[in-house]
Amino acid sequence: MQLKCRFLPQNDGRCGWYELLPPPPASTPLRGEVKADWVVLGAGLAGLAAARRLAELQPNAAIAIVDARRVGFGAAGRNSGFMVDLPHDLNSHNYTGDQSADRKLIRLNRGAIDFMRSIVQQHAIECDWREQGKLHGAVEGRAVQALETFAKGLSALGEPYRELDTREMKAITGTDFYRAGVHAPGAVLVQPAALVRGLGASLPENVRLYEDSPVREIEVGRPHKLVTDKGRLKAPRLVLANNAYAAQFGQLGLKGRLLPVYTYGSLTRPLNAQELAALGGEACWGLIPADPMGTTVRRMGDGRICIRNCFTYNPSVSTSENRLARVRAIHRRSFERRFPMLPNVEMEYTWGGALCLTRNGGTPFGEIAPGVYSAVCQNGLGLTRGTISGKLIAEYALGIESELLDIMLEQPKPQSNPPEPLLGIGVRSTLAWKEWQAGTEL
């Protein structure tokens, strides 16, 4: 079975998280003929977790992980840096859903945080790891109602939270933009590109990392063969951890089930002393909108502010300079709404990054062809779901049972999508409608 890799990671804008890091050491591209016991495609959260766990469980096995770009450059380093422990369904108006399913998702998410915390602590990864929870903020009546429903859902789950009024939200954020808020204490905030780079730099000795090695085609067989520009890699077992880019693999049953959707972020320059005084509030916090289509905001300890909003359906898994320019203008407007006391703070970086969603929130986790294992599609929870998907796919492939693996295997499989152009019309119109409904939450 021949798989052609037509879509590869592009330079979708300047990602502030990555650009602010020091230059990485020279990469090691794949060259010549290489053999391994396992090959992992994609060095994001899922791929790095899978490679690490395989190496821990099989210390004498040769594990290779291959990525088209540098570690931290792709989607894993382009998110907003929230390791979310609570339910976070982007298809829901208030994130929560069925209580039994929510409790299981919480166990998965917290299992991911526990696994990641142990790695960060063991290897002293400098990624601005902050166990300070997250805010949910609401502006309009509809979003305030969604926030109230979210709080009731947390009460029913027995989860701790604190409700905040306008004054309390301003004391934290420095702005009176938000009418109401909720603080949930379990989330972890990180600098995502720094986290991912640290994970790549601390892999076990029996893992070989090949960066700057775009895979052009894959021959699925015995063994599997991955072909790059300068080399070929053979391995009997393959883990797919390339998330939205796996949507092109129709022969494996993934095409027509996954939705590559982009979201976008901007990062300001650091605020100066006068601007910090004008803003007030706490020095570091992260806020998720009560409406999932609204604006995510983070204030960083270095005085920068991150704005994240806008969703677009991008089946080619890339964006354009024109779209990035339009998004930057939207981010500017969102920033000015929230921070009118900061009129001259420009956006220093703007970028896009790919999410992988399904219509029903399902995931193609498991063995999808002989010796081919899928850890793709995180449905908007890349940091936690990617981490736990990678860890659990390694355990699944080696026959190690656990409660968390049982929960993962219970997740629904992705629904089939309508054919194009109906799919594109439907997804784009749905995104536009939901963003319009979000109103000033955007």
Side-chain angles (χ1 to χ4, degrees):
M1 182 190 306
Q2 291 282 346
L3 305 177
K4 295 291 184 181
C5 303
R6 296 184 298 119
F7 303 132
L8 294 165
Q10 304 298 312
N11 190 3
D12 295 315
R14 297 178 65 215
C15 176
W17 306 124
Y18 189 85
E19 296 273 349
L20 290 173
L21 297 177
S27 63
T28 302
L30 179 67
R31 299 182 188 276
E33 297 283 337
V34 177
K35 293 183 179 180
D37 298 304
W38 295 84
V39 58
V40 179
L41 179 60
L45 273 304
L48 291 166
R52 182 181 298 273
R53 191 63 177 139
L54 287 169
E56 291 173 348
L57 296 171
Q58 292 194 323
N60 296 321
I63 294 128
I65 181 167
V66 184
D67 200 279
R69 308 297 292 252
R70 301 305 305 270
V71 170
F73 183 87
R78 290 172 175 259
N79 58 77
S80 299
F82 290 76
M83 291 203 77
V84 175
D85 64 324
L86 297 173
H88 194 82
D89 182 2
L90 294 179
N91 291 316
S92 166
H93 183 56
N94 54 44
Y95 297 107
T96 58
D98 173 79
Q99 282 189 28
S100 175
D102 283 347
R103 287 193 172 94
K104 291 179 179 180
L105 291 177
I106 290 170
R107 288 203 287 274
L108 278 179
N109 293 341
R110 290 181 177 160
I113 291 172
D114 291 343
F115 181 60
M116 188 64 76
R117 181 190 296 110
S118 67
I119 299 169
V120 168
Q121 291 178 350
Q122 178 184 353
H123 297 283
I125 296 175
E126 295 183 4
C127 59
D128 199 23
W129 180 278
R130 294 176 181 266
E131 301 204 20
Q132 64 185 75
K134 60 181 168 65
L135 299 169
H136 286 250
V139 185
E140 295 183 332
R142 185 171 176 270
V144 172
Q145 291 177 0
L147 197 65
E148 292 171 352
T149 303
F150 177 63
K152 290 178 182 177
L154 295 181
S155 294
L157 292 167
E159 290 294 332
Y161 66 92
R162 181 165 63 101
E163 293 184 284
L164 304 166
D165 59 21
T166 301
R167 179 185 57 81
E168 292 168 315
M169 287 292 286
K170 182 175 182 179
I172 297 171
T173 65
T175 175
D176 56 9
F177 180 77
Y178 297 100
R179 282 178 53 190
V182 164
H183 177 259
V188 178
L189 303 181
V190 299
Q191 206 279 38
L195 172 64
V196 181
R197 184 182 287 183
L199 295 173
S202 61
L203 288 167
E205 292 184 359
N206 57 325
V207 179
R208 290 172 288 174
L209 171 61
Y210 299 103
E211 298 173 280
D212 289 329
S213 301
V215 174
R216 303 296 178 179
E217 63 180 56
I218 303 171
E219 182 180 326
V220 177
R222 299 178 182 274
H224 310 302
K225 302 174 184 176
L226 281 66
V227 180
T228 68
D229 294 333
K230 298 180 180 179
R232 292 163 59 89
L233 196 155
K234 297 180 181 179
R237 286 161 293 188
L238 166 64
V239 176
L240 294 180
N242 57 336
N243 213 29
Y245 299 93
Q248 61 192 303
F249 296 158
Q251 299 97 316
L252 296 176
L254 298 177
K255 188 175 182 180
R257 296 181 182 275
L258 308 182
L259 296 172
V261 172
Y262 263 51
T263 189
Y264 301 85
S266 286
L267 195 62
T268 70
R269 62 161 172 79
L271 305 185
N272 60 38
Q274 292 78 16
E275 290 163 340
L276 290 171
L279 174 59
E282 296 182 3
C284 197
W285 47 266
L287 182 147
I288 290 175
D291 188 310
M293 299 301 288
T295 296
T296 296
V297 186
R298 280 193 67 184
R299 179 173 168 184
M300 310 302 297
D302 64 358
R304 297 176 187 267
I305 293 176
C306 179
I307 296 288
R308 197 282 309 152
N309 62 35
C310 297
F311 291 86
T312 59
Y313 173 56
N314 296 21
S316 63
V317 204
S318 64
T319 192
S320 66
E321 288 295 331
N322 287 339
R323 178 169 284 161
L324 286 168
R326 292 195 296 270
V327 165
R328 180 188 287 263
I330 294 171
H331 288 177
R332 178 77 249 169
R333 185 170 69 245
S334 299
F335 181 87
E336 290 172 349
R337 285 175 175 170
R338 288 158 177 79
F339 306 109
M341 75 292 290
L342 304 173
N344 300 310
V345 179
E346 66 272 12
M347 300 294 169
E348 189 171 352
Y349 303 98
T350 297
W351 65 91
L355 304 177
C356 186
L357 309 178
T358 58
R359 290 198 301 142
N360 65 332
T363 178
F365 179 88
E367 188 172 14
I368 57 175
V372 180
Y373 301 89
S374 168
V376 305
C377 193
Q378 319 310 339
N379 283 294
L381 270 180
L383 277 169
T384 46
R385 185 60 66 85
T387 297
I388 202 65
S389 294
K391 178 180 185 289
L392 293 179
I393 200 65
E395 296 174 2
Y396 169 85
L398 294 174
I400 297 175
E401 299 180 351
S402 69
E403 179 193 12
L404 292 182
L405 180 57
D406 290 341
I407 294 173
M408 182 65 80
L409 292 171
E410 289 175 6
Q411 301 305 302
K413 297 302 180 184
Q415 290 179 339
S416 296
N417 298 325
E420 296 286 6
L422 295 178
L423 176 62
I425 294 170
V427 174
R428 291 186 178 100
S429 61
T430 298
L431 291 173
W433 169 246
K434 286 187 174 183
E435 286 192 342
W436 181 83
Q437 282 186 310
T440 55
E441 309 297 327
L442 188 64

